[in-house]
Amino acid sequence: MRLKKLGFEKVFSETLSEEVGVTSSQVRKDFSIFGITGNKKGGYQVDPLLVQMDQILKKDQIHQVVLVGVGNIGSAILKYRAFEEEGIRIVACFDIDPSKVNPNKKVPVYKIDELESFVKEKKIRIGIVAVPDVVAQQVCHKMIQAGINGILNFAPIKLKGGDDTVIESVNITRKLENVIYFVNNIS
Amino acid sequence: MRLKKLGFEKVFSETLSEEVGVTSSQVRKDFSIFGITGNKKGGYQVDPLLVQMDQILKKDQIHQVVLVGVGNIGSAILKYRAFEEEGIRIVACFDIDPSKVNPNKKVPVYKIDELESFVKEKKIRIGIVAVPDVVAQQVCHKMIQAGINGILNFAPIKLKGGDDTVIESVNITRKLENVIYFVNNIS
DNA sequence: TAGATTGTTAATCGATTAACAATC
DNA sequence: TAGATTGTTAATCGATTAACAATC
């Protein structure tokens, strides 16, 4: 990260916290939980710290992900650069629209019907839902049935999954409405 | 919303909570805060409820928003349908790349230099940041300087603003990493 | 009236922060 | 040693949930 590039060899919880925008307590606590230790006086060594963080977040592995829905948002996510350096790789897309299907692309786009067999064969466990809200729950079901148990959802609805499934939602409209609400009321 | 279309005339906090995925206490409490009252036995009247909610969220007004950065994510947001029905309108985009500038589009794209004068003239107060992380803070500054005090940020960094500014961030990578972390550890 | 649902207060929970002993 | 920083425990805070009196 930036600190490394700047040539720091060691870093204090205080410095890190300012960088990330949290408290120094937070940093120390998190490190403690994950077993990252520092020196009572010298702070944390940057090099081993980075290695440990990568291991914890499993950035040293490639995480295979499927994407359902190649519309506006889906396409944007597909092109999203930041994933690569976090070890995240979208290995296939699925869409209901036949005109979008194209198995010859670098990241192939298949028919939605092929989701289950693909996911099972490749043992994928993570899926991204970028479809209109009316079909989102349905897609979610299909994913879980196929064996996926982690979903990132861009549809503006609350998806229901099983107990052994995490579903994180990104509700852009809601976020923007929060901002609007604040601007109109508080300030 | 859906309940209306289904022809319900009144609705209970319990029903609403299931719909949205929160507790009934939550629903009643929120309504209470905003001064929405129901009948001790009959629940809440759907029609007035919808009207009140629209007023509270100011959906009956048009909220003008500017978008900086017309790359992958910016373009997707520009085409995002859901904004319209929430009264959110992106009135102009700004980009540093001259090849993307085009003032003749339905939603015009201007040079970033024109941000300040535009925002001041139109009295815009909300901005969306969809630029690479290295320039995000800079764009944020420009926005605030121009008079914006609500920002929705898509860059994967923590933006700093003044006290009278809200900054909501959408960190897609972070969200996805949460999912990955869960899948690899908990389940 | 009896049953059901609101509105609000109190209890719980989890996450964040402060504080400080340990120690390099 | 004196000063500084960690690691961890205790305190705080806010948000969520449960509970229940009021009442339609």
Side-chain angles (χ1 to χ4, degrees):
Chain A
M1 52 154 84
R2 197 145 85 254
L3 292 167
K4 171 98 185 264
K5 287 176 191 155
L6 290 173
F8 283 86
E9 285 186 4
K10 52 192 187 181
V11 64
F12 307 124
S13 58
E14 186 65 29
T15 323
L16 277 172
S17 68
E18 280 170 22
E19 196 77 11
V20 191
V22 298
T23 62
S24 59
S25 292
Q26 194 71 263
V27 170
R28 293 202 298 279
K29 191 164 201 179
D30 285 354
F31 282 4
S32 171
I33 289 169
F34 289 118
I36 294 176
T37 59
N39 303 66
K40 287 285 176 195
K41 194 174 168 191
Y44 303 86
Q45 294 285 325
V46 171
D47 279 345
L49 178 59
L50 289 174
V51 172
Q52 286 183 83
M53 283 177 59
D54 280 359
Q55 281 173 355
I56 289 161
L57 296 174
K58 300 232 167 63
K59 286 188 188 168
D60 44 357
Q61 301 173 14
I62 299 289
H63 300 286
Q64 298 197 322
V65 172
V66 293
L67 168 66
V68 178
V70 199
N72 298 330
I73 296 177
S75 309
I77 288 169
L78 189 54
K79 290 180 203 144
Y80 196 49
R81 298 268 171 72
F83 283 166
E84 197 121 355
E85 59 200 41
E86 309 295 325
I88 296 166
R89 183 175 298 161
I90 297 172
V91 290
C93 304
F94 297 86
D95 205 297
I96 203 170
D97 181 353
S99 74
K100 284 183 179 150
V101 171
N102 184 351
N104 301 317
K105 281 187 168 173
K106 201 165 66 183
V107 179
V109 181
Y110 299 112
K111 281 186 296 180
I112 183 77
D113 315 305
E114 300 178 40
L115 177 69
E116 186 161 352
S117 60
F118 185 93
V119 166
K120 278 187 172 155
E121 191 193 330
K122 303 259 183 181
K123 295 193 172 53
I124 312 277
R125 301 187 67 195
I126 319 275
I128 301 175
V129 175
V131 300
D133 53 357
V134 284
V135 290
Q137 182 61 64
Q138 198 182 331
V139 167
C140 171
H141 272 315
K142 280 185 182 165
M143 281 184 170
I144 292 173
Q145 205 146 30
I148 280 174
N149 39 16
I151 292 175
L152 182 64
N153 167 43
F154 284 88
I157 62 163
K158 176 102 178 175
L159 292 182
K160 290 183 191 105
D163 285 344
D164 54 347
T165 313
V166 231
I167 302 178
E168 283 265 3
S169 282
V170 177
N171 192 328
I172 297 169
T173 311
R174 171 104 49 98
K175 285 262 183 184
L176 191 50
E177 280 173 344
N178 286 349
V179 173
I180 293 172
Y181 186 81
F182 174 93
V183 169
N184 283 319
N185 292 277
I186 288 78
S187 77
Chain B
M1 53 155 79
R2 197 145 86 256
L3 292 166
K4 171 98 185 264
K5 287 177 192 155
L6 290 172
F8 283 85
E9 286 184 1
K10 52 193 186 181
V11 65
F12 307 124
S13 58
E14 185 65 30
T15 323
L16 277 172
S17 68
E18 281 170 20
E19 196 77 11
V20 192
V22 298
T23 62
S24 58
S25 292
Q26 194 72 262
V27 170
R28 293 203 298 280
K29 190 162 200 179
D30 285 353
F31 281 5
S32 170
I33 289 169
F34 290 118
I36 295 176
T37 58
N39 302 66
K40 287 284 179 196
K41 194 175 169 190
Y44 302 86
Q45 295 285 325
V46 171
D47 279 346
L49 177 60
L50 289 174
V51 173
Q52 288 183 82
M53 283 177 57
D54 279 0
Q55 282 174 355
I56 288 161
L57 295 175
K58 300 233 167 62
K59 287 188 189 170
D60 44 357
Q61 301 174 14
I62 299 289
H63 301 285
Q64 298 197 322
V65 172
V66 293
L67 168 67
V68 177
V70 199
N72 298 329
I73 296 177
S75 309
I77 289 168
L78 188 55
K79 291 180 202 145
Y80 196 48
R81 297 269 172 72
F83 283 164
E84 197 120 356
E85 59 200 42
E86 309 294 325
I88 296 166
R89 184 175 299 159
I90 297 172
V91 290
C93 304
F94 298 85
D95 206 296
I96 204 169
D97 181 354
S99 74
K100 283 183 180 150
V101 171
N102 183 351
N104 300 318
K105 280 188 168 174
K106 201 166 66 183
V107 180
V109 181
Y110 301 112
K111 280 185 297 180
I112 183 77
D113 316 303
E114 299 178 41
L115 177 69
E116 185 160 355
S117 60
F118 185 93
V119 166
K120 279 188 171 155
E121 192 193 329
K122 303 261 182 181
K123 295 192 172 53
I124 311 277
R125 301 187 67 194
I126 319 275
I128 300 175
V129 175
V131 299
D133 53 356
V134 284
V135 290
Q137 182 61 63
Q138 199 182 331
V139 167
C140 171
H141 271 314
K142 280 186 181 164
M143 282 184 169
I144 292 173
Q145 205 147 30
I148 280 175
N149 39 17
I151 292 174
L152 182 64
N153 167 44
F154 283 88
I157 62 163
K158 177 102 178 174
L159 293 182
K160 288 181 191 110
D163 285 344
D164 55 347
T165 313
V166 229
I167 302 177
E168 283 264 3
S169 282
V170 177
N171 192 328
I172 297 169
T173 310
R174 171 102 50 97
K175 285 262 184 186
L176 191 50
E177 281 174 343
N178 285 349
V179 173
I180 292 172
Y181 186 81
F182 175 93
V183 168
N184 283 319
N185 292 277
I186 289 77
S187 76

